[in-house]
Amino acid sequence: MKRKHPLRRIMIGVAATASGVVLLLALKQPGGTPVAGAAAQTGTGVSAATGGTGAAGQSLLGEAVDTQYGPVQVRITLTGGKITLAEAVQAPKSDARSQSITADAVPKLNQAAVTAQSARIDAVSGASYTSKGYQDSLQSALDQAGSGDAATGTTTGGSGAGSVEAGGAPENVATPAPDPSTAPSTGDSGTGTGTGAGSAATGTRTVLGSAVDTQYGPVQVRITVSGGRVTQAEAVRAPSSDARSQSITANSVPQLNQAAVTAQSARIDAVSGASYTSKGYQDSLQSALDQAGI
């Protein structure tokens, strides 16, 4: 019995060693797979995070604004509440001259929008209609963002002087337009949709009235409301079919804008010689006031 005892111990040791080797091999093989899998998952996670950062900007498309030489429509990209990119997705290009003016004006307007962070940008010399359409479309994009940039739109009207763009007709930054001086005080009106946007921080908001059709073209009014009062009124659309309409509009719209702010209502006098435009203005103004609850 004593001779067999050492042998049994040797056999037990050999068996234990063999079992240990097998166990180590078994453990080593699966160990590589989880490491590789973890590396793959880490790589995917980094890629996804990077992609999310790049998509942080918000893209907003403004309204297409008709001008005498073609529509203008602006798209902006907002990142962190700031305009990081502005571009005209539509601009006048009906002929070679319009294309040339657009090619010169649009890059300047794009840069101005980013620099100003609003629609309060200067018109480009020689491209007044395109500039005005750009400003209005840009403002509508900002309105969608709820920027509350109430004063961003340029007032319609002005000196009446303008540059000639792509068709030879004098441009008027004031845009809209006229009615014959003999026009009666009533006009066929139609309705359109109105929109509003504002800023909770400032208590200021802009409200766009309905587009009202008149015999000489649509009239649409946008108002800025602060503290329950109209602080600004402007016609974003008005008759502009010919030089006479432009002249009448340039004279009447500034007066109507001022009257709206003074009266704090749509009960304003019609401008002599611009009865149709005045009636359309009053109706669109009233729709904006209704939306604003004034």
Side-chain angles (χ1 to χ4, degrees), residues 24-122:
L24 287 172
L25 290 174
L27 291 173
K28 184 176 180 180
Q29 183 64 29
T33 303
V35 172
Q41 291 173 3
T42 302
T44 303
V46 170
S47 175
T50 302
T53 301
Q58 177 187 18
S59 180
L60 296 169
L61 186 64
E63 297 177 356
V65 177
D66 290 329
T67 75
Q68 183 170 331
Y69 302 99
V72 179
Q73 188 171 26
V74 178
R75 180 172 58 214
I76 60 173
T77 299
L78 297 179
T79 304
K82 293 179 66 67
I83 302 173
T84 55
L85 177 67
E87 53 186 332
V89 297
Q90 288 194 72
K93 56 180 180 178
S94 58
D95 53 38
R97 178 167 172 74
S98 289
Q99 294 170 21
S100 175
I101 292 174
T102 292
D104 173 65
V106 167
K108 296 177 181 178
L109 294 167
N110 291 339
Q111 182 58 51
V114 175
T115 300
Q117 291 295 306
S118 75
R120 290 191 296 268
I121 56 178
D122 293 334

Side-chain angles (χ1 to χ4, degrees), residues 114-202:
V114 175
T115 300
Q117 291 295 306
S118 75
R120 290 191 296 268
I121 56 178
D122 293 334
V124 175
S125 177
S128 302
Y129 278 110
T130 296
S131 297
K132 184 63 171 65
Y134 188 103
Q135 292 162 345
D136 289 345
S137 182
L138 172 58
Q139 180 62 57
S140 73
L142 291 170
D143 289 345
Q144 293 177 51
S147 66
D149 189 7
T152 53
T154 55
T155 47
T156 7
S159 63
S163 53
V164 175
E165 177 178 12
E171 278 204 18
N172 195 312
V173 178
T175 69
D179 312 313
S181 56
T182 57
S185 59
T186 58
D188 297 330
S189 61
T191 59
T193 57
T195 59
S199 168
T202 61

